[in-house]
Amino acid sequence: MLVELFHLLVTPVPLRLRRLGYLRESVLLLSRGRRCHAAWASHLAASRAAILDACAGLDQTRIAVVLGSGLLQDVPIADLARRFREVHLVDAVHLWPARRLVRPYPNVRLITADLNAEPGRVDPLPALCGGAEVDFVVSANLLSQLPILPLDRPGLLPPDFGGRIVRAHLEGLGRLRARVCLLTDIEQFEEDRTGRITDRIDLLHGVRLDPPDRDWIWEIAPFGEAARHHRLRHRVQAFLNWRTA
């Protein structure tokens, strides 16, 4: 609790993003990641491997942009910093563990931005990763997260609001000239201790993706984390070149 309070108090975050709840969500994710370190390890390793394979063989390695860089647990930051002239890490919040992690790399920049292209907003991707020198873009386990806070706001929303947000991000990625690596969880399912699935949630709000290059299971909340006799698992998919996916 004290660690969470520390991050809530000292993390530099624009007031608008703080009010929207991005800092709170980031701190909660940090805490869960520490509690579930062992359960998350294979997912994080698979994500890092997919990113490295996705940028292999590029003709040019000028600028790489990671959208949803978060705590950098799923991002091979040392390898990217060696491969690219510049690496831009984009997220609404950069907690201190991530800030400390990038200090040894003078070619790595932290960029604070709201990546949500919800209806009525300008697509943020052209300004962040549409430049002529951007050769590689990663959407790092971000897609399913984009609708969460907008859907929690008070007021009447269209029934397909979450799907619109998901589609807007995918369409924005598809317009980029750079090679795009898309990592996303697509489904949550709840299991009891017998292995019986007791609940499912579509994390992409009805949006269907083509067959991925890779997929795996992320045990996001093992037994005892969310409930004593149930665990939450996510199906994750990786597209190494989203333009051709």
Side-chain angles (χ1 to χ4, degrees):
M1 191 67 183
L2 289 177
V3 172
E4 292 179 359
L5 181 61
F6 168 79
H7 287 290
L8 289 171
L9 291 174
V10 305
T11 303
V13 180
L15 183 58
R16 186 184 77 87
L17 298 181
R18 183 184 288 267
R19 284 175 173 169
L20 288 173
Y22 286 106
L23 177 58
R24 181 186 70 251
E25 290 299 310
S26 295
V27 171
L28 291 175
L29 185 64
L30 169 68
S31 296
R32 173 172 279 190
R34 286 176 170 168
R35 292 193 304 270
C36 303
H37 176 75
W40 288 18
S42 61
H43 159 68
L44 298 176
S47 296
R48 293 191 296 266
I51 292 171
L52 291 179
D53 289 344
C55 67
L58 285 172
D59 292 333
Q60 298 188 84
T61 54
R62 292 168 295 181
I63 298 176
V65 181
V66 180
L67 304 171
S69 54
L71 294 167
L72 296 175
Q73 294 172 307
D74 51 358
V75 178
I77 187 59
D79 294 280
L80 292 179
R82 283 193 295 267
R83 292 190 186 195
F84 290 88
R85 188 189 74 206
E86 296 178 36
V87 179
H88 299 174
L89 303 177
V90 186
D91 214 322
V93 176
H94 301 282
L95 293 177
W96 284 107
R99 292 172 180 271
R100 287 195 299 269
L101 196 59
V102 303
R103 283 177 183 168
Y105 310 110
N107 61 331
V108 174
R109 288 179 56 199
L110 297 176
I111 299 173
T112 300
D114 184 353
L115 291 166
N116 212 322
E118 63 189 79
R121 292 192 60 208
V122 175
D123 180 6
L125 298 191
L128 294 167
C129 44
E133 294 197 330
V134 176
D135 296 312
F136 185 55
V137 175
V138 182
S139 178
N141 293 299
L142 166 70
L143 183 62
S144 68
Q145 304 300 303
L146 291 174
I148 292 176
L149 290 177
L151 287 173
D152 278 345
R153 295 174 198 159
L156 186 63
L157 296 172
D160 64 341
F161 192 70
R164 291 186 194 181
I165 293 173
V166 169
R167 282 191 293 272
H169 185 69
L170 293 175
E171 290 166 1
L173 293 176
R175 288 190 289 266
L176 299 175
R177 56 159 296 280
R179 181 181 297 177
V180 174
C181 173
L182 170 64
L183 306 176
T184 182
D185 41 3
I186 65 166
E187 178 188 34
Q188 174 177 290
F189 51 99
E190 180 184 84
E191 285 184 353
D192 64 18
R193 291 188 179 272
T194 69
R196 182 173 62 96
I197 295 176
T198 57
D199 190 28
R200 289 183 184 272
I201 299 175
D202 176 6
L203 299 176
L204 298 188
H205 300 272
V207 176
R208 296 290 175 258
L209 305 180
D210 290 336
D213 296 301
R214 301 175 187 176
D215 65 12
W216 60 86
I217 299 299
W218 174 13
E219 187 156 340
I220 192 167
F223 294 115
E225 172 64 23
R228 183 178 179 185
H229 295 296
H230 290 82
R231 64 180 175 180
L232 300 178
R233 311 181 87 193
H234 285 193
R235 179 169 297 281
V236 183
Q237 296 187 340
F239 300 83
L240 303 190
N241 189 344
W242 173 248
R243 187 179 306 277
T244 60

